[in-house]
Amino acid sequence: KHGAVLWLANLTEVVQKVKIAGFAGPAMLHMIDDSGFARAARQPDFLSRTGTSLKKAAAVDLGPYAVARVAAV
């Protein structure tokens, strides 16, 4: 199933809380941050694997310089 996909990036050294609108149902979250970058770099299929399941994509906390992909499921 293909649905809406939202990419978010924090370009600062401060944690950012991002409110999300437009996702009516559940979503899958993939986060690449300071703790997960090495894992994502070693796994070319990182975004194809199961991420964090969200019942409703309402907000995401982005760590410093983190990148997130929120995909409707």
Side-chain angles (χ1 to χ4, degrees):
K1 180 178 177 181
H2 299 284
V5 176
L6 174 65
W7 285 90
L8 302 167
N10 180 358
L11 303 178
T12 74
E13 60 188 32
V14 180
V15 174
Q16 301 291 326
K17 184 169 189 108
V18 180
K19 292 182 182 180
I20 300 172
F23 282 83
M28 188 67 58
L29 171 67
H30 287 88
M31 183 80 66
I32 301 173
D33 56 13
D34 60 345
S35 66
F37 175 78
R39 183 180 71 239
R42 286 190 308 268
Q43 298 174 340
D45 63 343
F46 175 76
L47 295 175
S48 299
R49 295 176 181 232
T50 301
T52 302
S53 182
L54 304 174
K55 290 183 181 180
K56 180 173 169 66
V60 173
D61 289 330
L62 289 171
Y65 306 105
V67 175
R69 182 183 80 162
V70 182
V73 293

